[in-house]
Amino acid sequence: MSALSSESEDGSSCDGADERYLPCCASAKLTIVVGGTHFSEEKSFLVQSCDYFQALYRSGMRECRQEEIHLKYLRARGFLIALAVLRGEMPDLDGDDIVEAIECAAFLQVAPLTKHLINLTDSENCLLMYHTAATFGLMDLYHAAALFIRNMYTDLEAEVKKSLPSELISYVESLTPSVFVAVGAHVTCGSEETVHAASRTVCYLDETSNNWKVLTDLPLEASTSMAGVTVLHNKLYVVGGVHGLHKQVVNSSFCYSVENNSWSRISSPAQLRYNLSLVGVDDRLYAIGGEYERMVMSSVETYDIKTGRWGFAAHLPRPAAGAACTKAMSRIFVCLWKPMETTEIYEYLSGKDEWQLVTTLIRQQSYGHCMVGHRDNLYVMRNGPSDDFLRCLMDCYNLSSGQWSSLPGHFANSKGSLFTAVVRGDSVLTLNRSMTLEFIIDSKNWKPRRQMKGFPRSGSVWTFLLRLPDALTLQ
């Protein structure tokens, strides 16, 4: 392997580092020797990216004044992968790469690399991710891989018990798998509603008994009609919506904690809205587009769950209401229509606070109505010929290759079931009143796997995943 020299963008100060410890870091080069390979990088780039280097230069140790630092316990390939991820690349990793990348992420405390490894976790590498993360103490990946395994335990149990030590098996089995949860998407609020009305219940599917059970009642002031509904960090958020015959905007937003089995109010966006798209990534909610007083908007607001505050982000390229939106690889994507017969997919770049056009799909008499992310693929469900919503067509866009492919055949969309699609592991769960249908994603194709009980409510529904404590499921 040849040495790698990296020229990083540089500013006048070291963001994320204390300048008292790094008076010259903005322009200083540092040589890092890893396994006999020399890497030349800006000090500021390393300090901003790695907790190891930040702690090193804050310590005032002798190494702070050296122009060359030797990392004796790492291998060059792992450090090369870390640098690639820190520059914004998304390298695909094989087994050896994964081990060396985990070793580097743990030793240097490279949060973006850990995040990338979590995003790459799949049914083929999850056991390796889990076992290696346990070995090197990379706890975020350790926990994420264990949750992934738990969600696919029916498929993976035999291999888990064959290849993992008992303590790792015990940890996986101590976790609760994600359950399929649904609530009516037309539930309004107001004085005419009652607290315990059946339509106002959030329910989950007990797959063992094949029965839907009540999880919680919606707060009386909450509406799911044309609201934004999503889950972030195992908490359910309901933002905006309308109530009444005249679609009056709801000015209250709510958060449900499964750990406490309780609802709490959160602040609402500065611009009240309904028919919005709501998605959660990292520690933020994104309220995208929507309507207010029947005016379609392009504005976007973000909610920081740590501070409890909303702030405006970059506007959408054009106004959109109820836009198909998803996340994949911890990135946010939205479908916008640009007539005629054109579906454009944009990505929100949080570092630049801008929307970037990713790809365009042109299909005759067809537009993307729902989008689901799985690994590095975006699946776009669109209407069939002549606005046929009962037989949907599906296309797949691969983020790594930049290529489109079409899934063979039509997909039954009885009562909008496809538009409720939620990914769990390598499966997709869809729902209507008649049935819950699970698809297995195999070589990008969706193949029906099993059928379970439908949701015992009329009308459209919101669906999502939650991990429920044993105390709730035993009630």
Side-chain angles (χ1 to χ4, degrees):
M1 181 183 300
S2 61
L4 180 73
S5 176
S6 168
E7 296 292 337
S8 304
E9 290 186 6
D10 192 30
S12 59
S13 64
C14 299
D15 295 337
D18 193 327
E19 293 183 7
R20 292 176 299 170
Y21 301 105
L22 294 167
C24 302
C25 74
S27 59
K29 281 278 191 176
L30 180 67
T31 298
I32 305 99
V33 183
V34 186
T37 303
H38 291 64
F39 299 86
S40 180
E41 292 293 338
E42 299 284 351
K43 284 184 181 178
S44 59
F45 175 68
L46 296 170
V47 170
Q48 291 169 27
S49 308
C50 305
D51 289 354
Y52 173 90
F53 287 103
Q54 190 172 122
L56 174 67
Y57 283 98
R58 282 179 172 170
S59 70
M61 296 172 62
R62 173 172 54 85
E63 287 86 346
C64 298
R65 296 179 290 277
Q66 296 178 183
E67 295 182 358
E68 185 174 289
I69 291 179
H70 291 251
L71 300 178
K72 299 179 180 179
Y73 305 106
L74 294 180
R75 285 169 281 187
R77 179 61 182 167
F79 191 68
L80 186 68
I81 293 169
L83 292 177
V85 171
L86 292 174
R87 294 191 190 98
E89 300 174 28
M90 297 187 304
D92 194 15
L93 307 178
D94 62 22
D96 291 338
D97 290 340
I98 287 172
V99 173
E100 296 188 24
I102 291 175
E103 179 185 43
C104 184
F107 185 79
L108 297 181
Q109 292 297 293
V110 190
L113 178 55
T114 303
K115 184 177 179 180
H116 181 62
L117 289 162
I118 292 172
N119 289 333
L120 290 181
T121 303
D122 59 33
S123 55
E124 296 177 355
N125 64 30
C126 57
L127 300 187
L128 176 63
M129 290 276 195
Y130 180 48
H131 189 254
T132 310
T135 300
F136 290 103
L138 194 59
M139 301 314 295
D140 286 348
L141 177 60
Y142 169 79
H143 183 64
L147 287 174
F148 184 94
I149 295 168
R150 189 67 183 90
N151 280 339
M152 293 193 61
Y153 209 50
T154 301
D155 299 321
L156 298 174
E157 184 176 4
E159 185 64 24
V160 165
K161 294 188 174 179
K162 175 182 175 182
S163 59
L164 293 181
S166 58
E167 63 271 18
L168 296 189
I169 298 172
S170 296
Y171 182 66
V172 168
E173 293 181 342
S174 72
L175 301 173
T176 55
S178 298
V179 298
F180 195 38
V181 187
V183 63
H186 52 88
V187 180
T188 185
C189 58
S191 57
E192 70 277 9
E193 300 290 344
T194 58
V195 175
H196 298 294
S199 63
R200 300 190 61 79
T201 54
V202 181
C203 301
Y204 69 95
L205 178 60
D206 183 335
E207 295 177 37
T208 302
S209 65
N210 191 25
N211 193 30
W212 286 89
K213 298 180 178 180
V214 174
L215 174 61
T216 182
D217 298 313
L218 286 169
L220 190 58
E221 301 87 352
S223 170
T224 62
S225 179
M226 305 183 81
V229 178
T230 196
V231 168
L232 179 62
H233 297 339
N234 207 36
K235 291 184 178 181
L236 171 63
Y237 292 88
V238 180
V239 173
V242 298
H243 68 93
L245 296 176
H246 301 289
K247 292 185 177 180
Q248 295 173 283
V249 66
V250 175
N251 59 9
S252 299
S253 299
F254 297 88
C255 171
Y256 173 69
S257 167
V258 295
E259 298 299 328
N260 303 322
N261 190 24
S262 63
W263 288 89
S264 60
R265 285 180 181 265
I266 64 170
S267 59
S268 293
Q271 171 60 65
L272 297 180
R273 60 188 75 210
Y274 58 90
N275 204 11
L276 66 149
S277 301
L278 188 69
V279 63
V281 174
D282 295 330
D283 293 324
R284 290 181 177 272
L285 302 177
Y286 293 78
I288 300 170
E291 300 179 63
Y292 182 71
E293 295 184 349
R294 301 188 179 182
M295 179 72 70
V296 180
M297 303 183 295
S298 60
S299 71
V300 177
E301 293 185 60
T302 68
Y303 177 76
D304 188 325
I305 62 172
K306 291 183 177 180
T307 65
R309 296 178 180 176
W310 288 91
F312 281 96
H315 279 44
L316 290 170
R318 54 184 171 274
C325 186
T326 193
K327 60 182 178 181
M329 306 294 286
S330 297
R331 299 155 62 187
I332 297 173
F333 300 90
V334 63
C335 279
L336 298 181
W337 296 351
K338 185 179 180 181
M340 292 287 297
E341 303 174 339
T342 301
T343 300
E344 293 182 336
I345 297 180
Y346 285 85
E347 177 185 359
Y348 178 68
L349 304 177
S350 58
K352 298 180 179 179
D353 186 29
E354 66 181 33
W355 292 91
Q356 181 180 80
L357 178 63
V358 175
T359 186
T360 300
L361 178 67
I362 300 176
R363 293 290 185 268
Q364 186 176 4
Q365 297 180 325
S366 191
Y367 301 88
H369 294 274
C370 180
M371 182 166 56
V372 176
H374 173 256
R375 301 187 188 177
D376 60 344
N377 293 311
L378 299 176
Y379 292 91
V380 178
M381 279 76 88
R382 54 189 180 88
N383 55 284
S386 303
D387 293 329
D388 186 352
F389 286 92
L390 296 179
R391 298 181 302 135
C392 280
L393 299 170
M394 198 181 310
D395 296 280
C396 174
Y397 180 76
N398 183 263
L399 295 168
S400 300
S401 68
Q403 299 296 314
W404 281 99
S405 58
S406 295
L407 277 65
H410 291 81
F411 289 82
N413 189 38
S414 174
K415 299 180 181 178
S417 60
L418 277 181
F419 300 159
T420 68
V422 174
V423 171
R424 182 178 64 185
D426 286 338
S427 294
V428 179
L429 295 164
T430 67
L431 177 66
N432 60 25
R433 191 172 183 180
S434 302
M435 65 176 173
T436 299
L437 181 60
E438 180 184 12
F439 295 87
I440 186 72
I441 304 177
D442 181 19
S443 300
K444 296 185 181 179
N445 293 325
W446 289 22
K447 300 178 180 179
R449 184 181 194 181
R450 60 172 172 159
Q451 181 177 321
M452 294 172 283
K453 188 175 181 179
F455 189 57
R457 304 281 187 274
S458 60
S460 57
V461 293
W462 294 107
T463 57
F464 38 90
L465 300 175
L466 286 171
R467 298 187 310 276
L468 306 183
D470 291 338
L472 278 181
T473 58
L474 292 175
Q475 286 182 355

